[in-house]
Amino acid sequence: MNTRDWPIRAKLTALVIGPVTALLALWIFATTLTFGPALDLLAARTYLYDLGRPGEAVVTELQRERRLSVVQLAGDAALPALAEQRVRTDRTVAELRRRVDGEALRDAADDLLDARLDQLVSALDALPAGRGFIDTRKVDRAGAIGLYSGMISSAFQAFSAMAALPDTQLNREALALTALGRARELLGQTDALLAGAITAGRYAEGEHEQLVRTIDNGRFLAEDAVADLPAGERAEYQRLTEGADFVRLRALEDLLIRSPELPARFDVPGWEASQTGVWQSMRDFELRGADGLAERSVPMAVGILVRLGAAGVLGLLAIVFCVLVALRVGRSLARRLTGVRTAALEMAEHRLPDVVTRLRRGEEVDVAAEAPELDHGGDEIGEVGRAFNEMRRTALQSAVDEVTLRRGLNEVFLNIARRSQGLVHRQLALLDRLERQTEDPDELAGLFQVDHLATRLRRHAEDLVILAGAAPGRGWRNPVAAVDVVRGAISEVESYDRVDVGEVPPAGVLGRAVGDVIHLLAELVENATTFSPPASRVDVTGRATPDGYAFEITDHGLGMSPPALAAANRKLSRSPEFDPADSARLGHFVVARLAARHGVRVELRPGTPGGVTAVVHLPADLITDEPALGSTGPRGTASDGRRMAKVTRLGAAPRTRPGRAGRERADSAVVALPAARTSSGVEPAADGDGLPRRVRRRGTVARPRPAPADAPSTRTPDEARQAMSALQAGTARGRRDGARAADAATGTTSSPPEPVRAPQPPTASERDA
């Protein structure tokens, strides 16, 4: 039986219930052993009055009927006295049957006495048939004596079964009285034999030998029974034997024993008188002894019951005391152990997490107050409690140190991030100046690449800010179009040229969430490009939902296993604490932090037929109507000439593309650059969606850089960029038209046009919004 997982109360109960049960069983066993003999002593009175007295009366009447039956068989006529005696015998037998069938005697009798009573009743049932044999003289005198002697013997066997008292002396006395009764019965048999012989005038064959045996057996039984009587009763019996009747009866018996034939001058009246006196004296002695035996058994039984009650009560009190002590000690142990367990669970489940939460909120925590000293006693449980107290203090101090370390680590993250952000902003400003001053297409393309890398670097710096628990600095006052938010996110991804923008229904994102949504989408888009084959495409779409707006980012990679997908969704569904040990999915942590800040739901789903689809659901309180073109500046001012790259568009560019089936290539999504950038050889050419697209051309002779003007120009930089762009565009169109006309006149084909320049990242000034 495995008891390892039992509760402590069950184990203590098992320890207690075994000894207590054994003690209770021993108490019940000892009580039963003592209570049984007491009941036997109390049953002695029942035996005497329900069996002894009625049985002795039946024996007496049977003895008298036996003598008269032998006399009748010895003579020639029926005896009227025999008929009267049979009536008296039947009356005593009926009374005995009533007592034997009663509940009192049967309840007090054991198995042996029950069997002897049944034998007695069966023997008495043969009495009517035996009388019939006697009346019809179908039986001789010996047969008649045997018939009645058998019934009387069954009665004495029942009397012997009563003599089973628990007290040795009482039991010996009862057996002695029963033996005296048997001796008196042998005296009756002797009288019946002699009466038949006297009536017939001689002994029948074998009667003298039987007479001698009966006299000898009677004397032997009497002497043996008297030896077991108490001294007082033995002296009383001795006085009886010294009486005249006993002396004369003994002399006549000796005469009968010495004479093989019936003596001629035998004193028959003397025999009858002495035999009747001795028989009655012995009967009276037996009845007095039986009454005394019954009377003495009652006080003895009461004494046994009193001792039994005292022992039983004391034993029961001892058992109750043991149970109470066991319960009290067990309850105390269970309560103390439960207290230690409760303190441990309360510390692990409530106090320690609460302390950690308060520490993370910046509250001061007193370790001594949060882990008070608990007294669990001075024994082994107390030692465990003291060890647990020390463990609690150590755990709380460790939590304080951990949170302090985490707070310091966050401060380090934030400090590094702020420094990196400052450097990145300065770098973007420097790149913006260089891009404005550069006219060579190759140099400008390189600057664009550096500009794009700086933009990604800024996003990674913002990751550190988010890890530190702070908010990035970028923000907008006014709403921004959803498609511009998507483009802004794509512009911060390294493989932006692999991203296809599909259908994005018109909607606006509130300015307070634009920066975080761009960052969130950028992290998901970068994950999609990173964990998919280099030649595959990544699709970004938007759709309006009843409770907000949703963006879907789908890659065509190998996808994620269901357990990994479930683990990622669990992490994205809440804002977890940053764990430096779990840095494999740092982007998921950043996305979860940004999503939790604005109530955005992010869910990863298996793609069809492969890959993963990230669904970003913006709540309705972040969505508004799409703002008008050109109405929103990077900081919410329409008068500002600068534009947000990938977020705002050229004022003349339409937001819808009816000629495309809901998809937009990334190379057209990242070309929304200021017109002044085309002064270095990149000319805007109208695409199918109305957005400008750079086309790089290289002349036969490199154009010299214009000399700086001596006097500052009165034009604004935007006006200068627009003028230069228009001039360069016109020149390019003139050259292209002239080449086409010359080819048409000569019938030849000129060289193929220059390839379209790959889309370039936005400049620093276009991203500083």
Side-chain angles (χ1 to χ4, degrees):
M1 181 172 55
N2 185 13
T3 61
R4 181 176 181 178
D5 297 331
W6 285 14
I8 188 64
R9 293 184 182 274
K11 293 179 180 178
L12 293 176
T13 303
L15 289 176
V16 172
I17 198 171
V20 171
T21 302
L23 182 61
L24 182 62
L26 289 176
W27 177 79
I28 294 175
F29 180 71
T31 303
T32 303
L33 288 180
T34 309
F35 189 66
L39 292 180
D40 293 338
L41 289 174
L42 291 177
R45 293 178 61 86
T46 302
Y47 294 157
L48 176 63
Y49 293 108
D50 287 352
L51 178 60
R53 289 293 178 86
E56 192 277 334
V58 169
V59 169
T60 299
E61 298 302 330
L62 287 175
Q63 288 173 345
R64 290 172 181 172
E65 183 176 342
R66 178 180 58 189
R67 184 176 186 278
L68 292 174
S69 297
V70 172
V71 172
Q72 178 174 298
L73 290 174
D76 297 330
L79 297 178
L82 178 59
E84 296 176 359
Q85 180 60 43
R86 287 177 177 177
V87 173
R88 289 191 295 270
T89 302
D90 290 340
R91 190 163 46 243
T92 57
V93 169
E95 177 64 18
L96 178 62
R97 287 179 181 276
R98 187 181 66 83
R99 295 296 183 92
V100 169
D101 293 336
E103 294 182 357
L105 180 60
R106 289 292 185 175
D107 291 341
D110 56 6
D111 295 339
L112 178 61
L113 182 57
D114 274 335
R116 297 289 174 83
L117 290 175
D118 294 337
Q119 292 177 4
L120 175 60
V121 172
S122 299
L124 293 176
D125 290 339
L127 182 60
R131 288 173 177 174
F133 292 148
I134 293 173
D135 293 341
T136 57
R137 296 183 180 273
K138 292 181 179 180
V139 62
D140 57 2
R141 289 178 293 176
I145 292 174
L147 173 65
Y148 286 98
S149 298
M151 298 178 190
I152 295 172
S153 177
S154 297
F156 277 106
Q157 289 178 0
F159 297 158
S160 299
M162 290 193 307
L165 302 177
D167 185 78
T168 305
Q169 182 60 34
L170 291 179
N171 195 56
R172 185 181 297 114
E173 292 182 27
L175 292 176
L177 293 176
T178 302
L180 283 177
R182 287 181 177 275
R184 184 167 55 88
E185 156 61 13
L186 292 176
L187 179 60
Q189 290 183 20
T190 302
D191 180 62
L193 286 171
L194 185 60
I198 291 174
T199 302
R202 60 183 181 83
Y203 289 120
E205 183 179 359
E207 283 187 344
H208 183 262
E209 290 81 2
Q210 185 178 359
L211 179 66
V212 172
R213 288 196 303 271
T214 303
I215 293 173
D216 291 339
N217 289 337
R219 291 178 178 180
F220 173 78
L221 285 176
E223 293 176 359
D224 187 68
V226 170
D228 289 334
L229 291 176
E233 295 181 4
R234 190 165 56 248
E236 182 183 356
Y237 184 80
Q238 185 65 31
R239 287 191 298 271
L240 289 177
T241 58
E242 293 174 357
D245 290 337
F246 270 90
V247 173
R248 185 176 14 184
L249 182 64
R250 178 64 58 87
L252 291 175
E253 288 177 346
D254 292 340
L255 178 61
L256 293 174
I257 292 172
R258 289 192 302 269
S259 300
E261 300 293 336
L262 184 66
R265 295 186 299 271
F266 185 73
D267 188 4
V268 176
W271 170 265
E272 291 180 353
S274 59
Q275 189 273 341
T276 301
V278 170
W279 187 88
Q280 188 64 40
S281 298
M282 292 182 66
R283 183 188 181 200
D284 295 339
F285 182 81
E286 294 173 22
L287 293 178
R288 288 194 303 270
D291 291 339
L293 190 65
E295 293 300 327
R296 278 186 294 154
S297 66
V298 174
M300 188 176 295
V302 172
I304 292 176
L305 291 177
V306 170
R307 292 193 299 271
L308 175 62
V313 170
L314 291 177
L316 186 60
L317 291 177
I319 293 175
V320 172
F321 177 75
C322 293
V323 171
L324 293 177
V325 170
L327 289 177
R328 183 169 182 179
V329 173
R331 187 177 301 171
S332 175
L333 290 174
R335 183 175 60 253
R336 293 171 63 193
L337 291 173
T338 303
V340 174
R341 183 196 65 177
T342 302
L345 292 177
E346 196 272 338
M347 170 60 68
E349 296 178 358
H350 300 288
R351 189 179 294 271
L352 188 59
D354 179 66
V355 168
V356 173
T357 302
R358 289 162 53 193
L359 287 171
R360 289 174 179 174
R361 288 199 303 261
E363 300 180 12
E364 295 294 332
V365 174
D366 186 2
V367 176
E370 295 295 336
E373 188 74 20
L374 299 179
D375 186 14
H376 295 283
D379 56 357
E380 289 82 355
I381 299 178
E383 294 177 358
V384 173
R386 286 190 292 274
F388 175 69
N389 289 332
E390 188 65 28
M391 181 194 70
R392 289 197 310 165
R393 286 190 295 269
T394 303
L396 287 176
Q397 187 62 47
S398 299
V400 172
D401 295 341
E402 180 183 356
V403 173
T404 303
L405 177 62
R406 187 183 294 271
R407 189 180 302 162
L409 183 62
N410 289 341
E411 292 295 334
V412 170
F413 283 168
L414 192 58
N415 189 11
I416 295 174
R418 295 303 184 193
R419 292 183 180 182
S420 299
Q421 280 186 320
L423 294 175
V424 170
H425 282 298
R426 292 171 58 187
Q427 181 182 7
L428 289 173
L430 178 60
L431 289 172
D432 185 59
R433 290 196 301 271
L434 293 176
E435 289 170 354
R436 294 175 184 275
Q437 297 172 6
T438 301
E439 296 181 358
D440 184 80
D442 294 332
E443 293 181 1
L444 187 58
L447 291 175
F448 281 164
Q449 292 180 357
V450 176
D451 192 326
H452 181 63
L453 294 175
T455 303
R456 292 174 56 210
L457 184 60
R458 180 179 61 183
R459 178 165 61 86
H460 294 323
E462 288 181 354
D463 288 346
L464 291 177
V465 175
I466 295 171
L467 292 178
R474 289 191 297 169
W476 283 263
R477 295 188 185 93
N478 295 330
V480 175
V483 67
D484 294 335
V485 172
V486 172
R487 288 175 173 175
I490 295 173
S491 69
E492 298 186 0
V493 177
E494 180 179 6
S495 301
Y496 60 88
D497 56 340
R498 292 173 49 201
V499 181
D500 295 338
V501 180
E503 182 180 358
V504 181
V509 180
L510 294 183
R512 61 184 173 87
V514 169
D516 290 341
V517 173
I518 291 176
H519 195 151
L520 187 152
L521 293 176
E523 291 289 344
L524 294 175
V525 171
E526 186 169 60
N527 279 351
T529 59
T530 302
F531 295 100
S532 61
S536 63
R537 310 295 298 178
V538 175
D539 300 326
V540 181
T541 59
R543 56 184 174 87
T545 61
D547 55 348
Y549 197 90
F551 294 103
E552 293 186 358
I553 303 168
T554 303
D555 64 63
H556 300 283
L558 297 178
M560 300 174 64
S561 64
L565 204 63
N569 283 325
R570 283 195 300 270
K571 182 183 294 185
L572 294 173
S573 62
R574 54 189 176 85
S575 179
E577 291 294 330
F578 173 61
D579 185 6
D582 185 15
S583 60
R585 301 286 182 178
L586 192 60
H588 289 173
F589 174 81
V590 174
V591 169
R593 277 283 182 89
L594 294 173
R597 185 176 301 166
H598 299 285
V600 176
R601 298 198 310 270
V602 181
E603 181 183 3
L604 301 181
R605 301 174 182 173
T608 303
V612 176
T613 298
V615 180
V616 180
H617 184 272
L618 277 61
D621 56 357
L622 296 181
I623 303 301
T624 184
D625 295 334
E626 185 178 65
L629 288 173
S631 62
T632 305
R635 294 295 177 184
T637 58
S639 60
D640 191 351
R642 294 177 301 170
R643 305 298 305 270
M644 292 187 306
K646 313 303 185 293
V647 179
T648 59
R649 303 181 182 180
L650 296 177
R655 283 203 174 95
T656 60
R657 294 180 294 170
R660 302 285 293 274
R663 296 190 58 82
E664 176 181 311
R665 291 291 303 270
D667 53 0
S668 63
V670 297
V671 296
L673 301 175
R677 292 299 176 93
T678 60
S679 61
S680 59
V682 180
E683 105 178 76
D687 200 354
D689 56 1
L691 294 177
R693 182 170 181 175
R694 292 192 183 93
V695 179
R696 183 175 62 185
R697 292 184 178 275
R698 188 181 302 272
T700 56
V701 180
R703 293 186 295 273
R705 295 192 179 187
D710 295 334
S713 175
T714 58
R715 295 182 179 179
T716 64
D718 287 340
E719 292 174 348
R721 283 196 297 270
Q722 291 174 1
M724 293 298 294
S725 178
L727 178 60
Q728 188 174 7
T731 304
R733 283 195 297 271
R735 291 176 179 176
R736 185 168 59 252
D737 294 339
R740 289 176 180 173
D743 293 339
T746 59
T748 60
T749 302
S750 60
S751 59
E754 296 287 333
V756 178
R757 183 179 177 180
Q760 302 295 334
T763 63
S765 63
E766 293 166 341
R767 286 192 175 86
D768 281 340

